[in-house]
Amino acid sequence: MNTVTRPRILVVGAGFAGVECVRRLERKLTPEEADVTLVTPFSYQLYLPLLPQVASGVLTPQSIAVSLRRSSKYRTRIIPGGAIGVDIKAKVCVIRTINDELVNEPYDYIVLSPGSITRTFDIPGLTDHAFGMKTLAEAAYIRDHVITQLDLADASDDPAEKASRLQFVVVGGGYAGTETAACLQRLTHAAVKRYPRIDPGLIKWHLIDIAPKLMPELGDKLGKSAQEILTRRGIEISLGVSIAKAGPEEVTFTDGRVVPTRTLIWTAGVVASPLIATLGAETVRGRLAVTSDMNLPGHDGVFALGDAGAVPDEAKGGDGAICPPTAQHAMRQGKVVADNVIATLRNQPLKPYVHKDLGLVVDLGGKDAVSKPLGIELRGFPAQVVARGYHWSALRTNVAKVRVATNWTLNALAGDDFVRTGFQARKPATLKDFEYTDSYLSPEQVRDRVEGTGTQEP
């Protein structure tokens, strides 16, 4: 007896792109048309742009982690785990579940939005001693770590130890690095008032970047304004400089300076998830080379977007430009790719993704911000209103909006209590411990597993 099965749509990743895609599929497809499955290690959507505010204690971790299981009306099956390989010929995705089992998940249509990982370089000691700012756990851990440095410096009578614990280095002059340095500097500036044995002058923040300008996407004027704000706060900014090597108690800059520090935060860009390399398909700077409708050429039913897909930027006239991997593009791409999956199911034409960037916002904490909505340059409090208004409106649920607004209000009125949880005090963790970059299979391992000729694991 032949059993007729519904088409299987597999969405990989619960970021901005993946969640927007899933929710639109649920709204537009009837339950009889297709089965929708979402693969994600965590059953929440993380609002990444606000991670620096979690690290600095302005927001609680739960306020920017929007649960995918909160509503009972959603019918998507969630597989708790991470996709570690895809065989696009056999139409099978290999998943490592959270209980560390490998399973083969067949599909008819796949949407690849696994996000990105922190871009690192072959710098001695970097992955062993640096922290990242890509996950909720990292942001919470960094907050604990920074407050711990103040506690340990307060308890120490060794001047050298105090110096290394009270200096902090952030690498990366983009949005993530600039906001991280700005928010955490405000945290230590406020917290040190509660430590009478610590000289506030000993606390030093360094923001460095190999680029000649801070946040060049903002333009010269706004970038300079942001730099002036941070410099006025006492953050030392070094451009045209990176890290030569990192150790447990000091880092060496490429200009020869040696800075004693126990805190190195690395935010120097991102690259597409290692999952993309397992497909063996053409890439553009690590992202899958897809068409403007986000389909992988030669493979009907394979779509990639967000950090995973090099989507042509049609709004710029098709001159070879690709959409930047921003939340703004990812959210809109998720809706378009859902429509294209449905169009493929129904044998209808696909539509290209076209969206003109609405602008940029950078929250520097307090009343400080620089923003460029629709090309209009703003500074100070007006820019802060725009920045927080944009982030608030982009949160997917009303519950998340209420939590974030409440956190902002409480922090503005009552300040911080500078509490550290100590949940990892005896287990130091660095960048390599949070992003699981060694979990992925090679294309050959994926093929062997799918064909049943091997079960190799990394």
Side-chain angles (χ1 to χ4, degrees):
M1 180 182 295
N2 293 326
T3 302
V4 178
T5 60
R6 290 185 292 270
R8 297 160 298 187
I9 303 172
L10 182 64
V11 180
V12 178
F16 293 106
V19 171
E20 289 294 335
C21 175
V22 165
R23 295 312 185 217
R24 197 170 184 91
L25 288 173
E26 290 177 326
R27 287 193 297 270
K28 290 197 166 188
L29 283 175
T30 65
E32 292 73 29
E33 281 187 279
D35 291 327
V36 182
T37 301
L38 175 65
V39 181
T40 174
F42 308 103
S43 58
Y44 60 75
Q45 179 191 15
L46 178 64
Y47 192 81
L48 274 168
L50 292 178
L51 273 183
Q53 295 193 32
V54 171
S56 62
V58 174
L59 298 175
T60 61
Q62 291 81 2
S63 62
I64 67 166
V66 183
S67 173
L68 301 178
R69 299 187 186 274
R70 184 174 183 84
S71 175
S72 59
K73 69 180 181 180
Y74 298 126
R75 66 178 188 274
T76 296
R77 173 194 170 205
I78 298 177
I79 300 179
I84 61 172
V86 178
D87 188 328
I88 52 179
K89 292 183 179 179
K91 293 193 172 184
V92 173
C93 179
V94 182
I95 299 169
R96 188 186 298 276
T97 64
I98 58 173
N99 57 356
D100 213 29
E101 293 181 0
L102 295 188
V103 298
N104 292 356
E105 183 69 22
Y107 63 84
D108 297 298
Y109 304 91
I110 188 168
V111 177
L112 295 166
S113 55
S116 59
I117 61 171
T118 301
R119 178 182 63 181
T120 58
F121 301 96
D122 189 19
I123 298 173
L126 177 64
T127 57
D128 293 320
H129 303 293
F131 304 107
M133 185 60 78
K134 278 290 295 175
T135 68
L136 193 62
E138 281 177 309
Y141 185 90
I142 287 174
R143 171 176 167 79
D144 253 24
H145 171 83
V146 169
I147 296 176
T148 297
Q149 299 315 299
L150 298 179
D151 286 343
L152 292 173
D154 182 65
S156 176
D157 293 319
D158 182 353
E161 182 183 354
K162 277 183 179 285
S164 67
R165 294 198 182 280
L166 297 177
Q167 292 206 65
F168 307 88
V169 178
V170 179
V171 183
Y175 304 111
T178 301
E179 290 187 334
T180 296
C183 291
L184 287 173
Q185 185 274 337
R186 281 180 57 87
L187 169 68
T188 55
H189 178 74
V192 74
K193 298 173 184 177
R194 315 294 174 88
Y195 292 85
R197 295 184 72 242
I198 295 179
D199 177 3
L202 294 176
I203 297 181
K204 297 179 181 178
W205 280 88
H206 302 264
L207 176 60
I208 70 172
D209 195 291
I210 197 66
K213 297 179 181 180
L214 200 66
M215 296 181 293
E217 298 88 347
L218 283 174
D220 290 343
K221 291 183 179 179
L222 282 185
K224 186 177 180 181
S225 294
Q227 188 168 340
E228 289 173 351
I229 290 170
L230 299 184
T231 301
R232 188 167 63 245
R233 287 193 198 167
I235 297 176
E236 182 177 321
I237 299 173
S238 300
L239 300 174
V241 177
S242 188
I243 296 295
K245 64 179 179 179
E249 298 180 11
E250 65 179 28
V251 297
T252 303
F253 293 176
T254 51
D255 61 5
R257 283 180 291 164
V258 178
V259 176
T261 183
R262 310 289 180 101
T263 308
L264 170 61
I265 302 174
W266 180 268
T267 64
V270 297
V271 293
S273 165
L275 177 69
I276 300 308
T278 71
L279 276 72
E282 182 184 351
T283 60
V284 177
R285 282 176 280 179
R287 301 161 70 187
L288 282 174
V290 295
T291 59
S292 57
D293 53 25
M294 292 166 283
N295 182 240
L296 184 64
H299 299 278
D300 291 339
V302 178
F303 298 86
L305 63 163
D307 295 305
V311 182
D313 195 342
E314 298 292 341
K316 293 185 177 179
D319 59 352
I322 60 175
C323 296
T326 62
Q328 186 179 143
H329 280 291
M331 293 170 72
R332 291 164 176 81
Q333 288 172 359
K335 295 177 180 179
V336 175
V337 85
D339 290 342
N340 285 342
V341 170
I342 294 171
T344 304
L345 270 169
R346 298 173 179 172
N347 294 316
Q348 297 172 348
L350 308 186
K351 63 179 182 180
Y353 170 74
V354 182
H355 171 67
K356 186 176 181 180
D357 204 306
L358 297 178
L360 305 165
V361 296
V362 182
D363 188 336
L364 300 175
K367 296 181 181 179
D368 293 328
V370 290
S371 301
K372 197 175 182 180
L374 302 175
I376 303 171
E377 296 186 350
L378 300 174
R379 299 167 181 79
F381 186 67
Q384 182 64 283
V385 171
V386 170
R388 294 203 170 181
Y390 173 79
H391 289 316
W392 186 84
S393 64
L395 290 165
R396 193 172 52 81
T397 68
N398 290 330
V399 172
K401 291 178 180 180
V402 170
R403 283 178 176 157
V404 166
T406 302
N407 283 179
W408 279 338
T409 303
L410 284 175
N411 187 267
L413 295 176
D416 199 334
D417 288 326
F418 314 112
V419 173
R420 62 182 175 93
T421 63
F423 69 100
Q424 290 238 11
R426 300 298 178 186
K427 186 182 178 184
T430 53
L431 190 151
K432 67 178 182 179
D433 297 306
F434 288 101
E435 299 191 29
Y436 309 107
T437 54
D438 58 349
S439 297
Y440 296 85
L441 303 177
S442 67
E444 294 74 23
Q445 288 172 321
V446 174
R447 193 179 311 113
D448 289 346
R449 177 172 177 80
V450 171
E451 294 175 354
T453 59
T455 56
Q456 292 182 344
E457 297 183 30

